[in-house]
Amino acid sequence: MSIAQTTTPSLRIPGVNRPIAIVGSVIAAVVVNLIVWQLGEAAGGSFEVVDKGVTSYVGAGGVIFSSAVPLLIGMTLTALISYFWVGVLRVAQIVGSVLAVATIGLTVAATFDTATTIALSVMHLVLVPVLVIGLEALRRGLAAR
């Protein structure tokens, strides 16, 4: 008599080096967030906010900058620290994810229209899996050495 055992396939994350993990994560975040931005505009989002009588527009450049710079800085610092303490990769996955979600509050507090608020909030959420998968790929790359 045999016992059939089934397993669910797990996500295969390859091990990569530091530069590929960082640059790949930044590119992925920027591309996905630009798609979310375009969908938000198609849904009628204005991506404009009025603050103290000044109207500001969140365009493609703002999306690229806001997606790339924090992720690039955070992942680069984490990658540098990982030369001395590999455990920082797990800590950064948690801290980065919490910060990405927590900063949605800044978007909600601004006076954007509903479609814009939803799109910008989704952009924050996009950073969570990108960050977690990018740092996991880096961790696996270090473990493979």
Side-chain angles (χ1 to χ4, degrees), residues 3 6 10 15 18 21 40-41 44 56 62-64 69 75 77 87-89 92 100 107 113 121 123-124 130 136-137:
I3 299 174
T6 60
S10 62
R18 287 172 178 90
E41 283 202 327
S56 298
V63 170
I64 293 168
V69 173
M75 287 192 71
L77 287 174
V88 73
L89 299 172
T107 301
D113 58 81
S121 297
M123 288 181 205
H124 285 256
V130 168
E136 182 62 21

Side-chain angles (χ1 to χ4, degrees), residues 36-121:
V36 171
W37 174 72
Q38 289 176 331
L39 290 172
E41 283 202 327
S46 68
F47 288 88
E48 292 180 345
V49 64
V50 179
D51 185 34
K52 298 178 185 170
V54 178
T55 302
S56 298
Y57 174 71
V58 179
V63 170
I64 293 168
F65 185 83
S66 297
S67 300
V69 173
L71 191 59
L72 181 64
I73 291 170
M75 287 192 71
T76 300
L77 287 174
T78 301
L80 291 172
I81 294 169
S82 74
Y83 279 106
F84 308 102
W85 178 42
V86 177
V88 73
L89 299 172
R90 291 285 192 219
V91 173
Q93 286 175 317
I94 295 166
V95 171
S97 298
V98 168
L99 287 174
V101 172
T103 54
I104 291 173
L106 300 172
T107 301
V108 172
T111 56
F112 289 110
D113 58 81
T114 303
T116 300
T117 300
I118 292 170
L120 292 173
S121 297

Side-chain angles (χ1 to χ4, degrees), residues 20-34 67-68 71 130:
I20 290 174
I22 295 166
V23 173
S25 296
V26 169
I27 290 171
V30 167
V31 168
V32 173
N33 279 344
L34 283 173
S67 300
L71 191 59
V130 168

Side-chain angles (χ1 to χ4, degrees), residues 119-132:
L120 292 173
S121 297
V122 169
M123 288 181 205
H124 285 256
L125 295 176
V126 163
L127 295 178
V128 174
V130 168
L131 177 69
V132 170

